[in-house]
Amino acid sequence: FDSKAHVASIEGVVRAYDTTSDTPATPLWETKLGYLPGESPMDDPFRVQAGCKGEGAGSPAGHALATETVIYAGTRDGRVVALDRASGKKLAEYNLGAAVASSLTVSGNTLFALTDDGTMHALVATNSAPNGG
Protein backbone atom coordinates (compact mmCIF):
# COMPACT_ATOMS: atom_id res chain seq x y z
CA PHE A 1 0.00 0.00 0.00
CA ASP A 2 2.56 2.56 1.18
CA SER A 3 5.51 3.04 3.53
CA LYS A 4 3.45 2.87 6.72
CA ALA A 5 3.96 0.25 9.43
CA HIS A 6 1.25 -0.47 12.02
CA VAL A 7 1.94 -2.01 15.41
CA ALA A 8 -0.45 -3.24 18.10
CA SER A 9 1.27 -3.40 21.47
CA ILE A 10 1.15 -5.21 24.76
CA GLU A 11 0.25 -1.95 26.51
CA GLY A 12 -2.97 -1.68 24.47
CA VAL A 13 -1.98 0.94 21.92
CA VAL A 14 -1.98 0.79 18.11
CA ARG A 15 0.56 3.03 16.39
CA ALA A 16 1.30 4.01 12.79
CA TYR A 17 4.82 4.83 11.59
CA ASP A 18 6.14 6.19 8.31
CA THR A 19 9.19 4.05 7.59
CA THR A 20 10.56 6.54 5.03
CA SER A 21 10.35 9.69 7.18
CA ASP A 22 13.34 11.43 8.74
CA THR A 23 11.98 10.29 12.13
CA PRO A 24 10.66 6.76 11.49
CA ALA A 25 10.49 5.95 15.23
CA THR A 26 8.04 8.80 15.86
CA PRO A 27 4.42 7.63 15.49
CA LEU A 28 2.19 9.36 12.95
CA TRP A 29 -0.70 8.54 15.27
CA GLU A 30 -1.44 6.32 18.22
CA THR A 31 -4.76 5.08 19.56
CA LYS A 32 -5.36 3.74 23.07
CA LEU A 33 -7.75 0.80 22.88
CA GLY A 34 -9.11 0.91 26.43
CA TYR A 35 -10.88 -2.02 28.08
CA LEU A 36 -14.19 -3.82 28.11
CA PRO A 37 -16.30 -2.88 31.14
CA GLY A 38 -14.97 -4.81 34.15
CA GLU A 39 -11.68 -5.71 32.44
CA SER A 40 -9.46 -2.84 33.58
CA PRO A 41 -6.71 -3.78 36.05
CA MET A 42 -8.35 -1.27 38.40
CA ASP A 43 -11.50 -3.46 38.37
CA ASP A 44 -9.54 -6.37 39.86
CA PRO A 45 -9.14 -5.99 43.66
CA PHE A 46 -6.19 -8.41 43.68
CA ARG A 47 -4.27 -6.31 41.13
CA VAL A 48 -5.04 -3.12 43.05
CA GLN A 49 -3.95 -4.78 46.32
CA ALA A 50 -0.76 -5.92 44.58
CA GLY A 51 0.07 -2.30 43.76
CA CYS A 52 -1.59 -1.55 40.41
CA LYS A 53 -2.02 2.22 40.38
CA GLY A 54 -3.66 2.95 37.03
CA GLU A 55 -5.62 1.55 34.15
CA GLY A 56 -3.03 1.91 31.46
CA ALA A 57 -3.82 2.48 27.81
CA GLY A 58 -5.82 -0.67 27.25
CA SER A 59 -5.99 -4.41 27.06
CA PRO A 60 -2.89 -6.00 25.50
CA ALA A 61 -3.29 -5.91 21.74
CA GLY A 62 -1.69 -7.72 18.88
CA HIS A 63 -2.09 -8.94 15.38
CA ALA A 64 -2.42 -5.55 13.67
CA LEU A 65 -3.77 -6.07 10.18
CA ALA A 66 -3.64 -3.24 7.65
CA THR A 67 -6.03 -3.03 4.75
CA GLU A 68 -6.33 -0.19 2.25
CA THR A 69 -8.44 1.96 4.59
CA VAL A 70 -8.70 0.17 7.95
CA ILE A 71 -6.36 -1.17 10.62
CA TYR A 72 -7.71 -4.09 12.68
CA ALA A 73 -6.30 -5.25 16.01
CA GLY A 74 -7.26 -8.08 18.34
CA THR A 75 -7.16 -7.65 22.12
CA ARG A 76 -6.57 -9.92 25.09
CA ASP A 77 -9.95 -8.94 26.54
CA GLY A 78 -11.64 -10.36 23.44
CA ARG A 79 -12.25 -7.50 21.05
CA VAL A 80 -11.54 -6.82 17.43
CA VAL A 81 -11.05 -3.08 16.99
CA ALA A 82 -11.25 -1.28 13.62
CA LEU A 83 -9.31 1.98 13.20
CA ASP A 84 -9.16 4.45 10.34
CA ARG A 85 -5.84 3.83 8.57
CA ALA A 86 -5.15 7.53 7.96
CA SER A 87 -6.03 8.97 11.38
CA GLY A 88 -6.20 6.10 13.89
CA LYS A 89 -9.75 7.10 14.83
CA LYS A 90 -11.70 4.17 16.28
CA LEU A 91 -14.37 3.16 13.75
CA ALA A 92 -15.86 0.13 15.49
CA GLU A 93 -15.18 -2.67 17.91
CA TYR A 94 -16.74 -6.06 18.41
CA ASN A 95 -16.58 -8.23 21.54
CA LEU A 96 -15.77 -11.83 20.58
CA GLY A 97 -16.14 -13.13 24.16
CA ALA A 98 -12.63 -14.59 24.39
CA ALA A 99 -9.07 -13.38 23.78
CA VAL A 100 -7.94 -13.06 20.18
CA ALA A 101 -5.40 -15.85 19.87
CA SER A 102 -3.85 -15.50 16.42
CA SER A 103 -3.33 -13.16 13.51
CA LEU A 104 -6.39 -11.66 11.89
CA THR A 105 -7.16 -12.42 8.23
CA VAL A 106 -9.32 -10.69 5.64
CA SER A 107 -10.92 -12.30 2.62
CA GLY A 108 -13.21 -10.13 0.52
CA ASN A 109 -15.42 -8.26 2.99
CA THR A 110 -14.98 -10.82 5.80
CA LEU A 111 -12.57 -10.55 8.72
CA PHE A 112 -11.58 -13.83 10.43
CA ALA A 113 -10.41 -14.02 14.04
CA LEU A 114 -9.55 -17.08 16.15
CA THR A 115 -10.13 -16.78 19.90
CA ASP A 116 -8.46 -18.76 22.67
CA ASP A 117 -11.66 -20.74 23.33
CA GLY A 118 -11.14 -22.38 19.93
CA THR A 119 -13.82 -20.41 18.05
CA MET A 120 -13.22 -19.07 14.55
CA HIS A 121 -15.20 -15.83 14.12
CA ALA A 122 -16.16 -14.44 10.71
CA LEU A 123 -17.17 -10.78 10.80
CA VAL A 124 -18.75 -9.37 7.65
CA ALA A 125 -18.62 -5.64 6.97
CA THR A 126 -22.01 -4.05 6.38
CA ASN A 127 -21.11 -0.43 5.56
CA SER A 128 -17.82 -0.95 3.74
CA ALA A 129 -15.63 -3.91 3.05
CA PRO A 130 -12.78 -4.63 5.52
CA ASN A 131 -10.29 -4.40 2.66
CA GLY A 132 -11.49 -0.94 1.75
CA GLY A 133 -13.07 -2.06 -1.51
Side-chain angles (χ1 to χ4, degrees):
F1 298 6
D2 56 27
S3 61
K4 309 282 185 314
H6 300 87
V7 179
S9 68
I10 194 166
E11 76 266 13
V13 178
V14 177
R15 294 179 178 90
Y17 298 91
D18 182 349
T19 61
T20 61
S21 82
D22 291 337
T23 56
T26 301
L28 297 170
W29 55 256
E30 59 181 35
T31 302
K32 296 176 182 178
L33 299 181
Y35 298 90
L36 281 171
E39 293 293 326
S40 162
M42 298 307 292
D43 295 330
D44 183 339
F46 296 105
R47 288 185 185 176
V48 173
Q49 187 177 15
C52 185
K53 303 226 185 286
E55 282 197 3
S59 180
H63 320 298
L65 172 66
T67 68
E68 190 175 330
T69 59
V70 178
I71 304 299
Y72 296 98
T75 67
R76 187 73 193 144
D77 67 3
R79 292 173 292 144
V80 169
V81 181
L83 306 172
D84 179 75
R85 183 180 169 103
S87 68
K89 178 184 174 192
K90 189 183 292 185
L91 302 172
E93 68 178 48
Y94 186 77
N95 182 1
L96 301 176
V100 177
S102 69
S103 297
L104 304 170
T105 304
V106 169
S107 179
N109 70 338
T110 305
L111 176 77
F112 296 94
L114 176 65
T115 51
D116 67 358
D117 64 358
T119 303
M120 175 62 76
H121 300 265
L123 305 172
V124 178
T126 55
N127 293 333
S128 64
N131 67 2

